[in-house]
Amino acid sequence: MQISAGYEIIYDCPQPTPMILCLSVHPSRMPDVTGPHRIAFDPPVVAREYRDGFGNLCHRIVAPAGRLTISSGIVVRDSGTPDQVVPDAIQHPVQDLPDDLLVFLLGSRYCDTDRLSDLAWSLFGGTQPGWARVQAICDYVHDRITFGYEHADSTRTAWGGHNDRLGVCRDFAHLAITFCRCMNIPARYCT
């Protein structure tokens, strides 16, 4: 199967503005990209690539004053095979987690664990730890939020998504990640 993906993002900057862009295919999937993988800038700007602490390919630019259009189009080969189901996957106690996974238990700007922890434990504390708990979280989020592009809000947190009961892809992910982190399950949003 081939998946066509792309974007066109337009910024109007009142002055030169430094930006960090995380708009590239993850390096682990780069071998599956058919054809060139490049980001276009109109007007042209200098972009410097680097990898962040999670291995994502990022670009640093200084957007000029005025309008800047950032765009890309790619095709990715994929087997189309569904994600593996592992109902007997276990949940390791926090004290047994490797040090480098602990960062995925922390709250963040969008994953406001402080506001959702009590709710998470009341909803999922009685579920079997491991696969069953994560599946219960995903099912709850799927049933809770109504998807619609018109519901996009770049400032919505997991708490907001839960209360608003609407959102886009990232809102589903932020709420599921937040509930997982509240339940001591390391979780990360990957695109």
Side-chain angles (χ1 to χ4, degrees):
M1 149 185 331
Q2 293 192 359
I3 301 169
S4 178
Y7 54 84
E8 180 180 75
I9 303 168
I10 300 172
Y11 288 103
D12 285 310
C13 299
Q15 61 194 30
T17 306
M19 294 183 177
I20 298 173
L21 308 174
C22 192
L23 298 171
S24 296
V25 173
H26 192 272
S28 64
R29 291 302 304 261
M30 209 53 89
D32 300 319
V33 173
T34 304
H37 176 275
R38 72 179 86 94
I39 299 174
F41 299 95
D42 182 22
V45 298
V46 175
R48 184 171 64 82
E49 289 184 5
Y50 76 98
R51 296 226 181 156
D52 69 11
F54 300 109
N56 297 306
L57 181 59
C58 302
H59 292 82
R60 293 181 67 171
I61 67 167
V62 176
R67 180 160 286 195
L68 173 67
T69 301
I70 305 168
S71 61
S72 183
I74 61 166
V75 175
V76 180
R77 282 178 281 117
D78 189 81
S79 68
T81 305
D83 291 339
Q84 187 177 6
V85 175
V86 187
D88 58 341
I90 61 170
Q91 180 177 336
H92 297 277
V94 172
Q95 63 269 21
D96 294 342
L97 294 174
D99 296 341
D100 60 337
L101 289 186
L102 296 179
V103 69
F104 300 113
L105 293 176
L106 303 175
S108 70
R109 174 180 173 198
Y110 295 109
C111 298
D112 35 0
T113 54
D114 55 328
R115 300 181 89 179
L116 287 164
S117 188
D118 289 342
L119 178 61
W121 280 98
S122 71
L123 292 170
F124 311 112
T127 59
Q128 179 69 32
W131 185 274
R133 181 170 284 165
V134 173
Q135 189 63 57
I137 289 169
C138 291
D139 291 345
Y140 178 87
V141 170
H142 179 267
D143 294 341
R144 178 81 186 182
I145 297 178
T146 299
F147 178 86
Y149 290 115
E150 69 276 15
H151 305 312
D153 179 350
S154 63
T155 64
R156 185 182 293 118
T157 66
W159 172 259
H162 185 270
N163 292 336
D164 296 345
R165 299 186 74 145
L166 48 83
V168 292
C169 299
R170 66 182 215 106
D171 297 301
F172 286 80
H174 287 152
L175 185 55
I177 288 168
T178 302
F179 280 144
C180 283
R181 289 178 176 185
C182 289
M183 304 302 296
N184 295 319
I185 301 165
R188 176 178 173 210
Y189 175 30
C190 300
T191 60

